[in-house]
Amino acid sequence: VQLQASGGGLVQAGDSLRLSCLGSGGSFSSYAVSWFRQAPRKEREFVAGISWSGGTTYYADSVKGRFTIARGNGKEVVYVDMNRLKPEDTAVYYCAATDRPIHYYNDYRKTDEYEIWGQGTQVTVSS
């Protein structure tokens, strides 16, 4: 499976963006998928995750209530809708996937749990 992240851009505070993670080359629909982000001089951090079925989702506290992660109907794409964006959301956003049986929030937030990563897409929020 390969991942292609897209949808980033330059927006103003309060605006919205949708990021997409397209999976190809395998059974992407059977993978748990998460979004991470990395700002300059900071560690990569968990943003949101979704189980292979789409029935379970997790969010970092910093985005809860503003971001929504979902799988497309064919499950070959995972979206994250980002609303009420803030300057502190500025980062490179990466999608990651795993077919390991992860079940809990503390598993989803660990970068080591994911064996496949997309190339990243830049999100810049101006104040």
Side-chain angles (χ1 to χ4, degrees), residues 31-80:
Y31 282 67
V33 177
S34 288
W35 286 92
F36 289 77
R37 66 188 181 187
Q38 188 165 18
R41 298 176 297 281
K42 291 189 176 181
E43 292 187 356
R44 192 168 296 190
E45 65 174 2
F46 172 80
V47 174
I50 189 166
S51 63
W52 68 270
S53 67
T56 301
T57 56
Y58 294 104
Y59 298 92
D61 287 345
S62 59
V63 307
K64 201 172 293 183
R66 299 188 298 123
F67 290 14
T68 303
I69 189 170
R71 304 193 82 109
N73 287 336
K75 296 187 179 179
E76 296 305 315
V77 60
V78 170
Y79 303 106
V80 60

Side-chain angles (χ1 to χ4, degrees), residues 5-127:
S6 62
L10 172 62
V11 297
Q12 294 185 333
D15 285 351
S16 299
L17 274 178
R18 166 175 277 195
L19 303 184
S20 300
C21 179
L22 179 66
S24 61
S27 300
F28 184 62
S29 59
S30 64
Y31 282 67
V33 177
S34 288
W35 286 92
F36 289 77
R37 66 188 181 187
Q38 188 165 18
R41 298 176 297 281
K42 291 189 176 181
E43 292 187 356
R44 192 168 296 190
E45 65 174 2
F46 172 80
V47 174
I50 189 166
S51 63
W52 68 270
S53 67
T56 301
T57 56
Y58 294 104
Y59 298 92
D61 287 345
S62 59
V63 307
K64 201 172 293 183
R66 299 188 298 123
F67 290 14
T68 303
I69 189 170
R71 304 193 82 109
N73 287 336
K75 296 187 179 179
E76 296 305 315
V77 60
V78 170
Y79 303 106
V80 60
D81 288 317
M82 307 187 297
N83 299 307
R84 302 196 306 278
L85 283 162
K86 304 175 181 180
E88 50 264 45
D89 293 319
T90 295
V92 177
Y93 284 70
Y94 299 89
C95 60
T98 181
D99 62 356
R100 298 174 185 171
I102 58 174
H103 302 293
Y104 306 107
Y105 173 73
N106 279 337
D107 293 329
Y108 274 82
R109 61 191 294 266
K110 294 176 183 175
T111 57
D112 290 350
E113 291 291 342
Y114 302 87
E115 63 269 21
I116 304 168
W117 289 81
Q119 84 288 3
T121 184
Q122 176 71 46
V123 173
T124 303
V125 184
S126 64
S127 58

